[in-house]
Amino acid sequence: MSAICVSGRGKRTESGGEDFVVCNPTKQSCVSPSGSSDQRRLDYEREDYLNDVSIILPVYNAARWLDECLQSVLEQDFQGSMELLVFNDASKDDSMNIIRKWRTKLEDRSIHVVIDGHESSHPKGVGFAKNRAVEQSSGRFLCFLDADDAMMPQRVRLQYEAALVHTNCIIGCQVMREPEGSTERYTRWINGLTQEQLVTQVFTSHGPTVIMPTWFCSREWLDHIGTFDEGGKGVPEDLLFFYENLRKGGGMFRVDHCLLLYRYHSEAATHAVLE
């Protein structure tokens, strides 16, 4: 898989008969903290995986974005089997009604939908919601999706292809920020890092060099790393998991296509993280 180069962020070009949203390209090879690109092969022939990919979707008061988010799940061009795991973390808006409406549409396209959650007075946090959704998943690969974001149609397919090769890596991708121009410096940073810099800049103040809304990995590798921290609001569960991946010898790999519409807004969980 090679990167496509164009000038300007978020423009579309054509390669091999497909349209992609592309960003700044870098040479692609999986990099681990040891500097080695030789990856430990995992056993992907297990018969207890019922699906190729499980999309993990934690939801909390996301009604305004869910239609676009779930439409992007429906439009994936991946030809393997997929399921959607939704965990409602005590939403008080119309999120669950929207999800139930989409359930039929998705299952008509052979995307199995599992809905779970709780109705406590307070949410238990993103880490808790992710862990509960992962526990109910049956895919050999996991694709993490935030309810306020939307995937490009090629996302699952291209990250799946990368994960087959880079088996003990967290797989990411480049993003297109919405609204356009918001967090411009940060967006340039996450899209422009070289594969080597995915490791060398892991301890900067920016957080994970492969950002959580783009994560894709094997279920077996995630089980090896462990679960997300469930400390709740203010806990950077993604950063803690990212460092645990490094501690256990994992690497990072970024697919150099913009495969995610990554929203910036005042209600994002990122704003709740404590220093």
Side-chain angles (χ1 to χ4, degrees):
M1 187 188 309
S2 60
I4 300 174
C5 181
V6 297
S7 59
R9 183 173 66 86
K11 293 184 179 179
R12 291 187 178 271
T13 187
E14 187 171 301
S15 173
E18 296 180 277
D19 290 332
F20 294 97
V21 178
V22 297
C23 300
N24 297 326
T26 59
K27 182 180 178 182
Q28 295 195 351
S29 61
C30 185
V31 181
S32 66
S34 64
S36 172
S37 61
D38 295 330
Q39 302 303 310
R40 181 176 66 86
R41 302 299 298 181
L42 299 175
D43 178 15
Y44 292 134
E45 303 303 321
R46 286 173 44 180
E47 296 182 355
D48 55 334
Y49 292 121
L50 300 180
N51 291 280
D52 294 315
V53 176
S54 298
I55 299 175
I56 304 300
L57 182 65
V59 173
Y60 173 67
N61 290 347
R64 73 180 72 174
W65 304 290
L66 273 171
D67 280 322
E68 187 175 0
C69 176
L70 295 171
Q71 181 70 36
S72 77
V73 174
L74 190 71
E75 292 177 349
Q76 290 302 297
D77 64 10
F78 180 62
Q79 296 300 304
S81 58
M82 291 192 300
E83 63 175 358
L84 175 66
L85 288 302
V86 178
F87 189 88
N88 173 41
D89 191 19
S91 295
K92 300 300 187 289
D93 63 1
D94 202 37
S95 292
M96 293 313 296
N97 288 331
I98 294 171
I99 291 166
R100 293 186 188 101
K101 176 189 72 175
W102 276 92
R103 182 177 198 163
T104 300
K105 296 180 183 180
L106 291 163
E107 294 193 335
D108 284 347
R109 296 283 188 89
S110 299
I111 301 173
H112 181 56
V113 179
V114 177
I115 301 172
D116 197 4
H118 67 95
E119 298 180 356
S120 303
S121 57
H122 299 288
K124 296 186 178 181
V126 180
F128 178 87
K130 288 173 184 171
N131 287 337
R132 302 293 84 73
V134 168
E135 286 171 359
Q136 297 190 61
S137 66
S138 64
R140 55 183 187 149
F141 291 95
L142 303 174
C143 175
F144 291 90
L145 176 62
D146 285 356
D148 53 357
D149 295 334
M151 301 187 288
M152 304 305 174
Q154 306 89 358
R155 181 191 173 187
V156 170
R157 173 171 56 85
L158 292 181
Q159 289 191 299
Y160 175 86
E161 291 171 358
L164 287 174
V165 178
H166 305 293
T167 52
N168 67 336
C169 280
I170 292 176
I171 309 295
C173 65
Q174 294 174 323
V175 302
M176 182 164 56
R177 202 60 153 148
E178 175 69 29
E180 185 175 358
S182 59
T183 66
E184 188 171 356
R185 182 178 177 182
Y186 176 65
T187 304
R188 284 200 307 268
W189 180 74
I190 58 178
N191 283 339
L193 292 171
T194 66
Q195 292 294 328
E196 290 74 18
Q197 287 173 329
L198 295 181
V199 170
T200 60
Q201 295 196 22
V202 294
F203 297 109
T204 68
S205 60
H206 292 299
T209 51
V210 176
I211 61 171
M212 175 70 220
T214 71
W215 285 5
F216 190 108
C217 66
S218 75
R219 172 63 185 270
E220 190 165 351
W221 184 246
L222 182 136
D223 287 344
H224 175 72
I225 301 171
T227 59
F228 292 97
D229 188 283
E230 297 185 6
K233 186 176 181 180
V235 174
E237 87 294 332
D238 56 344
L239 184 61
L240 296 175
F241 189 92
F242 187 76
Y243 286 158
E244 186 67 7
N245 171 66
L246 296 177
R247 192 182 71 80
K248 293 191 173 179
M252 290 79 69
F253 177 82
R254 190 185 65 224
V255 176
D256 283 334
H257 297 294
C258 289
L259 301 178
L260 187 75
L261 181 69
Y262 181 34
R263 280 199 173 86
Y264 177 81
H265 56 88
S266 61
E267 298 173 36
T270 302
H271 298 300
V273 173
L274 302 176
E275 294 291 339

